[in-house]
Amino acid sequence: VQTKMAALRVHGRLCHFVFILMYLFVQYYDLLYIDEFYGSPRYASTFGRRWKFLTYLNFMAHTVFFGSCVLGDIIETVLGKRTAWLRRVQDVMVASVLFPTSMLVSVVFWGLWFVDRELIFPAALDNIVPSWINHVWHTTIVPVMLLEMYLVHHRYPSRKAGLAGNAAVGLAYLTWVLIVAHVGGFWVYPFMAKFTTLQFTLFCAMVAIIGSGFYLIGEFVNTLFWGPREAPRKEKKKA
């Protein structure tokens, strides 16, 4: 068992290094070529720029997360110091943010793509965004998180706390979408412009339910990999 755990730690640290290199390269390519060379107005000349897209926010969260993983690995391996506080933050990020959001981004994006790609990623963008970056943004994010959850034991919070965190993230992004619509005068995603107020409300409720479902799937996968969550010990009251 100890040998297996040691091997998982080594593989986990190696994957962290590979993932951060991949993400940094994509960020570099995106900023240098897509934003400046191609000069896409969809990204560069509208309110919120690329920061209004859930895809980009999720990808940045991945980059920050794996950057923190590499930092933690260096502190523990080279300096020999514990980073329990950092690991706790990473556990919450995986449970409430990264896994459910990555699932949502991937499933919704490809679902809408197969229905009518013009609703989510117009064909005109093929001349701006290379297909390999599109797949890094919308496809690989899920297997990357599954591999991370398999190699590293992330301790999930209580279901109540985890779902609350997931809901807070969703509410924060909904608020940002509404701010963009109000200040910028356009919807982040074109299909939203076709909704009535009732339809938009129902759509948001549906996405919230799906997001909660993805959280529960992540919890199940984590349990499958590492066993059930350990309940916190309660101190006995003194007589």
Side-chain angles (χ1 to χ4, degrees):
V1 176
Q2 291 181 347
T3 302
K4 180 181 178 182
M5 293 300 295
L8 287 176
R9 280 196 296 271
V10 171
H11 292 153
R13 288 167 180 169
L14 178 61
C15 284
H16 292 161
F17 184 70
V18 171
F19 291 154
I20 193 60
L21 287 181
M22 177 181 72
Y23 287 153
L24 289 176
F25 176 75
V26 172
Q27 296 285 6
Y28 167 79
Y29 189 98
D30 179 29
L31 291 172
L32 186 63
Y33 293 102
I34 296 177
D35 192 28
E36 297 182 12
F37 181 75
Y38 291 103
S40 168
R42 184 178 179 85
Y43 289 110
S45 303
T46 54
F47 179 78
R49 302 186 67 173
R50 55 175 32 86
W51 294 97
K52 59 182 171 289
F53 298 107
L54 185 59
T55 289
Y56 190 74
L57 293 173
N58 181 61
F59 191 71
M60 283 301 299
H62 272 245
T63 305
V64 171
F65 172 77
F66 284 109
S68 74
C69 288
V70 171
L71 176 63
D73 294 340
I74 292 174
I75 293 174
E76 291 178 351
T77 304
V78 178
L79 302 181
K81 296 182 179 180
R82 294 177 59 83
T83 57
W85 63 273
L86 182 58
R87 299 306 183 190
R88 285 195 292 271
V89 172
Q90 292 167 352
D91 291 346
V92 173
M93 284 189 68
V94 168
S96 294
V97 183
L98 293 176
F99 183 83
T101 305
S102 296
M103 287 288 293
L104 186 66
V105 166
S106 187
V107 170
V108 171
F109 178 85
W110 290 113
L112 288 173
W113 173 290
F114 287 117
V115 172
D116 181 3
R117 66 166 298 181
E118 296 299 314
L119 294 173
I120 192 71
F121 197 86
L125 288 179
D126 289 344
N127 296 322
I128 300 171
V129 181
S131 61
W132 64 271
I133 281 191
N134 188 22
H135 281 293
V136 172
W137 282 345
H138 300 110
T139 307
T140 63
I141 49 176
V142 172
V144 160
M145 288 313 304
L146 289 173
L147 183 59
E148 167 68 15
M149 293 170 70
Y150 174 74
L151 294 175
V152 181
H153 185 188
H154 290 287
R155 291 171 173 80
Y156 263 55
S158 67
R159 181 171 294 176
K160 182 179 179 180
L163 285 172
N166 179 243
V169 171
L171 184 60
Y173 184 66
L174 173 60
T175 302
W176 176 228
V177 167
L178 294 175
I179 289 174
V180 171
H182 178 72
V183 177
F186 62 92
W187 288 100
V188 174
Y189 302 102
F191 67 86
M192 291 181 173
K194 301 179 181 181
F195 287 158
T196 64
T197 301
L198 177 59
Q199 289 171 335
F200 181 75
T201 302
L202 292 175
F203 173 77
C204 291
M206 181 185 69
V207 171
I209 293 171
I210 293 173
S212 298
F214 287 148
Y215 174 87
L216 296 177
I217 290 174
E219 185 182 68
F220 171 77
V221 170
N222 192 67
T223 301
L224 196 64
F225 288 156
W226 296 98
R229 173 181 175 272
E230 294 181 2
R233 296 180 180 178
K234 296 183 180 179
E235 295 184 1
K236 294 182 179 179
K237 295 182 179 180
K238 294 183 180 180

